Amino acid sequence: MNTAPEGSVDRLTDLDRRLLAALRTDGRAPIASLAQRLGVSRATVSHRIEKLTAQGVIVGFSVRVRDYGQTAPVRAISFIEVEGRTTDRAIDALRGFVEIQNLHTTNGGWDLVAEIACEDLAAFDGVLRRIRGIEGVVNSETSLLLSSVVR
């Protein structure tokens, strides 16, 4: 019997870690495929996913898109300052930008850091204009990434 309070995280088993790794690779994989890959029953996989979700280890499932940032001709880092309590709204708006590959909160002089990938400079200019048009964005500074020397 599990004596841990609801919402607490038990120790992850080897099966849990392997299941999480498989879900990171393909969060839409069918239960049957996961079961076969992990060498356990479908019921076991379903139970583990339910338990990991209830414990808060799995916090949701999302869509992964092609990593356009690796091949995009124009890549940049944008530092964004947001006024007052509008950060959550700005983040919600920025989530809708397909050109933003990653978005991070940060400390220091900037509130957010966005990794941007675009097909050309005209598209890049449009992204910057749209970022600056978001309610609550008061300042931004963007640097183009010229070449990657370490990955």
Side-chain angles (χ1 to χ4, degrees), residues 69 72-79 99 114-128 132 140-149:
V74 178
R75 296 176 303 128
I77 298 292
S78 185
F79 300 92
E99 301 89 351
E115 298 176 42
I116 301 170
C118 295
E119 60 203 31
D120 56 35
L121 287 174
F124 176 66
D125 184 44
V127 170
L128 293 182
R132 292 179 187 127
S140 67
E141 180 179 319
T142 303
S143 295
L144 288 170
L145 301 175
L146 301 176
S147 64
S148 297
V149 294

Side-chain angles (χ1 to χ4, degrees), residues 1-2 10 12-13 15-16 19-20 23 31-32 34-35 38 40-58 61:
M1 181 173 157
N2 183 0
D10 289 337
L12 294 178
T13 66
L15 175 60
D16 293 335
L19 175 58
L20 290 171
L23 288 170
I31 298 291
L34 291 168
L38 299 172
V40 296
S41 71
R42 291 187 318 213
T44 298
V45 170
S46 293
H47 172 75
R48 297 311 301 171
I49 289 173
E50 288 173 16
K51 184 175 181 185
L52 291 167
T53 302
Q55 290 176 339
V57 174
I58 296 175
F61 298 86

Side-chain angles (χ1 to χ4, degrees), residues 22-31 33-34 61-64:
L23 288 170
R24 281 188 189 115
T25 301
D26 182 2
R28 295 177 44 138
I31 298 291
S33 297
L34 291 168
F61 298 86
S62 64
V63 174
R64 290 177 49 201

